[in-house]
């Protein structure tokens, strides 16, 4: 169900968060809806997060290595929007900057940072 993913860890926080671009064709088969309704759906977010946790656990990851929160994004990472290199690798600093508000919101939702 995941087309692209950017996993982020903050050394001051005890868990990982991720920005996920879903594989919309797969998600639509299960949940229906448009791309916009899919990225706003709590049910889709929970299903994808549960899949990531199952895959991580099956792969032998420890609890602190598992993604604890995700943000769904409709726009794919691309070379044109400068989120991928020409060899289609994630540009981690650019992704971190581009999704800074979403990353902060995920950590706040998890109680890892205060809303001061």
């Amino acid at each position: 169900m995941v087309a692209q993913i950017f996993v982020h860890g903050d050394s001051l926080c005890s868990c990982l968060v991720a920005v996920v671009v879903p594989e919309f064709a797969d998600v639509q088969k299960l949940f229906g809806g448009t791309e916009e309704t899919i990225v706003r759906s709590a049910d889709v977010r929970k299903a994808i997060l549960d899949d990531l946790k199952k895959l991580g656990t099956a792969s032998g990851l420890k609890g602190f290595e598992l993604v604890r929160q995700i943000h769904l994004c409709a726009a794919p990472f691309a070379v044109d929007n400068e989120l991928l290199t020409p060899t289609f690798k994630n540009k981690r600093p650019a992704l971190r900057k581009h999704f800074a508000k979403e990353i902060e919101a995920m950590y706040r939702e998890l109680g890892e940072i205060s809303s001061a």
Side-chain angles (χ1 to χ4, degrees), residues 62-109:
K62 305 216 181 325
F64 65 89
E65 296 172 313
L66 298 173
V67 172
R68 295 247 328 262
Q69 187 64 274
I70 62 171
H71 168 76
L72 298 179
C73 178
F77 312 154
V79 175
D80 294 341
N81 62 16
E82 298 184 7
L83 298 178
L84 292 181
T85 68
T87 57
F88 303 109
K89 296 177 185 167
N90 284 351
K91 283 186 170 179
R92 295 185 61 74
L95 285 159
R96 191 176 309 113
K97 183 177 179 183
H98 185 81
F99 291 107
K101 288 179 186 174
E102 291 83 356
I103 290 168
E104 183 178 336
M106 286 186 281
Y107 278 123
R108 184 168 286 119
E109 189 174 324

Side-chain angles (χ1 to χ4, degrees), residues 33-44:
T34 65
E35 289 183 6
E36 282 305 311
T37 58
I38 287 170
V39 298
R40 286 187 271 129
S41 170
D43 291 337
V44 172

